[in-house]
């Protein structure tokens, strides 16, 4: 067994998208090989309706998949194929844009005005760039959950983990997407396929991701739950942790526990031509997509 080293720890950066939605971006529009097959990850979390209510009006996508996971509030969606729906707390939507789709996503707060969710973009390989668009909407009660003896709790969005399999399937990157809660002071190891790129995103509490590549003398000593442990500085709210190669990740929860997403996928290792919500393999394909948008042929006929 080999522990994955931490390549980078960085805070998500405030930005604005859509019609003025304030959010935090953990990664996106940088080097697409960094976390291949994943391209972008946004944390949209607000307590003031004016910071999100204008939402994400009609916009195109081609060549990618978008994964939306809602924790608080709701997100209403509609698309150019005539699909409509609403995602509530705990629900997941996996949209394969494929050859092209126009859609809108309009968030609404809960009774307290709070809105919280995540959106991850996954790339599509060349052979699937122009596949037919589709949606997979999964309600919260369809997502399996498992709790270990030490209180560690995992929601399995996709992939198989601890004997349970998430409901979303047929995704190009064959990803594993886990929502993990670890109680205060607990140290826990999670298996990840060696050949997948992987990252964690802390969004509640704090934790140290134990890195075997760092000598013990470099680590900090701290007492948590009556135990003296050796840890790195804790990663807190809205922190991205990018991992190197290995087959497991070990996390040491902080004094208030931690909740984080652990996401991995098989790299595509193909050229990327990227402009906004459209991701192709070549500049020629990207230019064709722009022409299609201009001349009204972006939505491909069903086969």
């Amino acid at each position: 067994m080999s522990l994955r080293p931490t390549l980078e720890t960085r805070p998500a950066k405030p930005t604005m998208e859509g019609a003025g939605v304030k959010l935090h971006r953990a990664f996106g529009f940088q080097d697409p090989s960094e976390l291949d097959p994943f391209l972008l990850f946004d944390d949209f979390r607000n307590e003031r309706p004016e910071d999100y209510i204008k939402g994400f009006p009609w916009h195109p996508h081609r060549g990618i998949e978008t994964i939306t996971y809602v924790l608080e509030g709701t997100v209403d969606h509609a698309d150019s194929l005539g699909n409509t729906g609403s995602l509530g707390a705990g629900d997941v939507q996996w949209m394969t844009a494929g050859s092209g789709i126009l859609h809108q996503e309009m968030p609404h707060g809960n009774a307290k005005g709070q809105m919280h969710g995540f959106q991850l973009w996954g790339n599509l390989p060349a052979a699937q760039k122009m596949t037919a668009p589709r949606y997979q909407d999964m309600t919260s009660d369809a997502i399996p959950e498992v709790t270990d003896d030490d209180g560690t709790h995992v929601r399995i969005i996709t992939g198989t983990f601890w004997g349970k399999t998430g409901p979303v399937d047929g995704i190009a990157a064959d990803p594993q997407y886990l929502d993990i809660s670890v109680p205060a002071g607990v140290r826990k190891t999670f298996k990840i396929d060696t050949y997948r790129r992987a990252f964690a995103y802390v969004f509640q509490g704090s934790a140290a991701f134990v890195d075997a590549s760092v000598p013990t003398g470099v680590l900090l000593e701290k007492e948590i739950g009556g135990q003296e442990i050796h840890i790195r500085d804790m990663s807190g709210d809205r922190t991205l942790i990018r991992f190197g190669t290995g087959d497991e990740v070990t996390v040491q929860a902080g004094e208030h526990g931690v909740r984080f997403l652990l996401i991995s996928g098989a790299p595509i290792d193909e050229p990327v031509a990227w402009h906004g919500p459209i991701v192709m393999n070549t500049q020629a394909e990207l230019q064709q997509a722009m022409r299609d948008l201009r001349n009204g042929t972006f939505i491909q006929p069903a086969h």
Side-chain angles (χ1 to χ4, degrees):
M1 299 299 175
S2 59
L3 197 61
R4 283 181 178 245
T6 298
L7 297 181
E8 182 182 18
T9 298
R10 66 179 183 234
K13 296 181 178 179
T15 189
M16 192 175 293
E17 279 294 350
V21 177
K22 293 181 180 179
L23 50 82
H24 283 71
R25 178 158 293 155
F27 63 87
F29 302 106
Q30 294 158 310
D31 178 0
S33 67
E34 249 190 11
L35 284 164
D36 179 20
F38 306 114
L39 298 165
L40 176 146
F41 182 84
D42 284 343
D43 177 351
F44 48 97
R45 183 191 329 180
N46 289 294
E47 302 203 356
R48 304 190 317 155
E50 57 266 37
D51 290 339
Y52 61 76
I53 201 65
K54 292 183 180 179
F56 307 89
W58 292 97
H59 57 280
H61 284 293
R62 177 180 284 182
I64 66 171
E65 299 179 289
T66 66
I67 305 95
T68 306
Y69 179 28
V70 178
L71 296 184
E72 297 289 348
T74 58
V75 176
D76 295 335
H77 65 89
D79 69 31
S80 51
L81 303 177
N83 298 312
T84 60
S86 183
L87 300 175
D91 295 351
V92 175
Q93 179 192 86
W94 205 294
M95 184 195 75
T96 303
S99 60
I101 199 166
L102 297 171
H103 78 157
Q104 67 172 357
E105 300 152 299
M106 306 304 288
H108 305 278
N110 59 17
K112 296 180 179 179
Q114 299 165 323
M115 176 68 216
H116 190 193
F118 307 104
Q119 188 166 92
L120 174 68
W121 290 12
N123 199 7
L124 282 171
Q128 297 182 39
K129 287 287 189 190
M130 298 298 285
T131 192
R134 69 166 181 156
Y135 279 96
Q136 295 182 72
D137 284 352
M138 301 294 172
T139 56
S140 182
D141 58 5
I143 297 171
E145 303 185 20
V146 60
T147 302
D148 206 2
D149 293 342
D150 59 12
T152 298
H153 183 80
V154 183
R155 301 191 84 219
I156 303 150
I157 311 295
T158 66
T160 298
F161 187 77
W162 286 355
K164 294 184 180 292
T165 300
V168 181
D169 62 7
I171 305 303
D174 187 27
Q176 186 179 63
Y177 190 134
L178 308 174
D179 176 355
I180 300 174
S181 299
V182 181
V186 171
R187 178 174 290 201
K188 198 72 175 176
T189 296
F190 302 95
K191 302 293 184 184
I192 299 179
D193 187 286
T194 305
Y195 300 102
R196 294 170 178 264
R197 297 269 167 75
F199 71 92
Y201 183 73
V202 176
F203 63 94
Q204 187 176 309
S206 63
F209 288 83
V210 181
D211 190 339
S213 68
V214 179
T216 302
V218 176
L219 303 183
L220 302 174
E221 290 186 7
K222 186 171 182 179
E223 187 173 299
I224 296 179
Q227 273 189 309
E228 188 180 86
I229 55 174
H230 297 277
I231 59 173
R232 271 183 183 271
D233 289 315
M234 290 285 180
S235 296
D237 187 19
R238 293 193 176 109
T239 301
L240 172 76
I241 299 93
R242 190 163 61 90
F243 299 110
T245 303
D247 58 13
E248 58 185 31
V249 167
T250 295
V251 61
Q252 172 68 56
E255 56 188 340
H256 300 294
V258 66
R259 187 175 179 188
F260 64 99
L261 304 178
L262 183 59
I263 299 173
S264 62
I268 296 172
D269 290 326
E270 292 180 353
V272 173
W274 187 357
H275 181 73
I278 298 171
V279 183
M280 305 303 290
N281 292 102
T282 68
Q283 287 298 316
E285 293 169 338
L286 197 57
Q287 290 163 8
Q288 182 61 55
M290 296 299 117
R291 286 195 294 271
D292 290 345
L293 269 174
R294 288 194 298 270
N295 64 25
T297 59
F298 187 77
I299 306 303
Q300 303 290 309
H303 297 291

